[in-house]
Amino acid sequence: MRSDKIKKGIERAPHRSLLYALGLSDDDINKPLIGIANSANDIIPGHKHLDDIAKAAKHGITAAGGTALSFSTIGVCDGIAMGHEGMRFSLASREIIADSVEAVVSGHQLDGLVLVPNCDKIVPGMMMAAARLDIPAIVISGGPMKAGNYCGEAIDLHNVFEAVGSVVSGKMEEEELELISKRACPGAGSCAGMFTANSMNSMAEALGIALPGNGTIPAVNADRIRLAKAAGKAVMKLVEEDIRPSDILTRAAFENAIAVDMALGCSTNTALHLPAIAHEAGVEIELEHFNEVSDKVPHICSLTPAGLNHMEDLDQAGGIHAVINELYEAGLVEGDVLTVSAQTLKENLAAINFIDHEIIRPLDNPYHPRGGLAILKGNIAPQGSVVKRAAVADKMKEHRGPARVYSSEEEAIKAINGGEIVPGDVVVIKNEGPKGGPGMREMLAPTSALAGMGLDECVALITDGRFSGATKGAAIGHVSPEAAAGGPIAAIEEGDIIHIDMDNFVLEVELSAEELAARMEKVEAYIPEVSGYLKRYAKLVGPASKGAVFE
């Protein structure tokens, strides 16, 4: 066993002494040592209950003949960090999470690993660590929050953000906003729509690094505890058969995940995190591949914010594997890929016995004929940008309008709330990329403000920062190269005409190459005024088009 390095031989007597200090017996020490990376905390609603998930996984490990050893890692709640300087730490925390898991597992030479994340950057950070370590590993997430209810309608966090815009524009009273805020998030779990956390938990299932059900079983359901126990047992089988992430996270697995991404209409952040996980697995995923898959795979499941259904509805409809089954039967995913069940995806799909085609539409009756995400390129974004096309009104998929240029999210929000933005405008927010932010802040506040004011179907927004999975409307993020790295977005000026054509993957400013080059020569380098970890992060982080990994 890998752990023999810390427990076998006379030289390791001091090491064994410390293991005995934990209360472990000789039998415990002689078993495979399985780490449980538990990101439980009292700050994030999606992580409030993770001790219960980790405890269940521990029961599964013990029942299958292993010794479970828990350790912790950090997490940032994107919703609480939204709209202020705290959001600079959200994406940046992903690298800390990956590094911390690697450090603990490598420092103690553990034999296997159960990863217990749930929200936003914690899920991809842990998967990056699994790929990097390449020891038997499995993901068991905390599960989605159930939807709230207000006046008989299902609501979630994005409704609260949009209600803020309604109050600012005089369409709603503050008292109603407060009522909505108290009803939208009823308890533990990752926010209830197809936002970033649930997108990445679904991607874990699609990649095969998590068991069927991981993406959709609600956090508060007993099935989630049973799944955690099964994950604990499954990791022991992975250790026994020496099945590693490198056997599972193959090129075919990532292609499958992108296909599922398109069918579900996931968060734009998947175009950031999947390449980052692939990078750690030694697989190169180019942004262009998302468009290639999008042309083949229709959007067949529409969850909030694009639609009305929530994750609990998808779970009742058959879950992520039911969506995968639709794609598999049409030859759109590869079935002969290995998963953490120690079976192939095709073998896992044999258990599917029900699909609700009202929620998971058949391929010949999709919500949209092309996939949920689109990668746009042009003279604004030579290396690419990302939009959740499934959440964009048809009339905004091609748009031409004047640029309203701002150098920070705060400036843009002030202009939006001040009534400065009118139908037809294209809001451009620069200096918010991985280096320039730094941290590539997620901007649900400005997009929700526009939606709350009724402008989401007539105003576009472009940034080198990011958008929340809860964002809807013509919100184009991840513009690469970013302004702080000398990208052309830095040269856009007030009133420039921006042309957007999502179906043809185009994002351009209507300037000649000569004029754009002349402006770029005059652009002054932007250096963010930050210290501590963010200063180090800004120096190390790469472009969004490559997953914003450290270079």
Side-chain angles (χ1 to χ4, degrees), residues 376-385 476 478-481 488-489 507-508:
L376 311 185
K377 286 190 173 185
N379 61 2
I380 295 176
Q383 295 174 1
S385 62
I476 303 166
H478 305 200
V479 169
S480 298
I489 190 173
L507 177 62
E508 291 184 333

Side-chain angles (χ1 to χ4, degrees), residues 293-512:
V293 176
S294 178
D295 281 341
K296 301 174 185 176
V297 179
H299 177 220
I300 61 172
C301 187
S302 186
L303 305 184
T304 179
L308 298 177
N309 295 315
H310 290 85
M311 295 302 293
E312 64 198 84
D313 301 311
L314 177 55
D315 187 58
Q316 291 294 316
I320 300 303
H321 265 60
V323 175
I324 297 173
N325 193 66
E326 293 291 298
L327 303 181
Y328 173 71
E329 290 186 346
L332 295 171
V333 295
E334 171 59 58
D336 291 322
V337 291
L338 192 60
T339 73
V340 289
S341 69
Q343 295 182 311
T344 64
L345 175 63
K346 179 171 59 178
E347 290 172 321
N348 290 344
L349 292 176
I352 298 295
N353 57 17
F354 171 74
I355 299 176
D356 183 347
H357 282 118
E358 291 296 316
I359 293 174
I360 303 171
R361 289 190 177 182
L363 295 178
D364 59 2
N365 182 34
Y367 288 94
H368 300 98
R370 301 167 88 182
L373 299 186
I375 307 301
L376 311 185
K377 286 190 173 185
N379 61 2
I380 295 176
Q383 295 174 1
S385 62
V386 187
V387 64
K388 189 171 183 174
R389 184 171 51 189
V392 178
D394 287 341
K395 65 181 181 180
M396 286 299 292
K397 289 179 180 175
E398 183 171 10
H399 179 73
R400 181 179 277 103
R404 306 300 309 279
V405 183
Y406 304 96
S407 294
S408 69
E409 179 186 10
E410 288 83 359
E411 286 185 13
I413 291 174
K414 183 178 179 180
I416 293 168
N417 289 341
E420 297 177 21
I421 306 302
V422 299
D425 283 348
V426 179
V427 177
V428 178
I429 306 176
K430 56 187 178 181
N431 298 327
E432 291 286 3
K435 289 183 177 295
M440 204 180 179
R441 286 193 290 178
E442 199 170 82
M443 301 185 202
L444 181 56
T447 57
S448 295
L450 290 171
M453 295 174 179
L455 295 174
D456 57 308
E457 294 192 4
C458 55
V459 170
L461 200 157
I462 299 170
T463 182
D464 51 7
R466 296 182 296 126
F467 292 111
S468 166
T471 290
K472 66 178 182 180
I476 303 166
H478 305 200
V479 169
S480 298
E482 63 174 296
I489 190 173
I492 296 176
E493 297 178 358
E494 189 80 7
D496 286 345
I497 300 301
I498 307 295
H499 178 218
I500 301 164
D501 187 347
M502 296 181 192
D503 287 335
N504 290 302
F505 312 117
V506 172
L507 177 62
E508 291 184 333
V509 56
E510 295 185 349
L511 295 173
S512 68

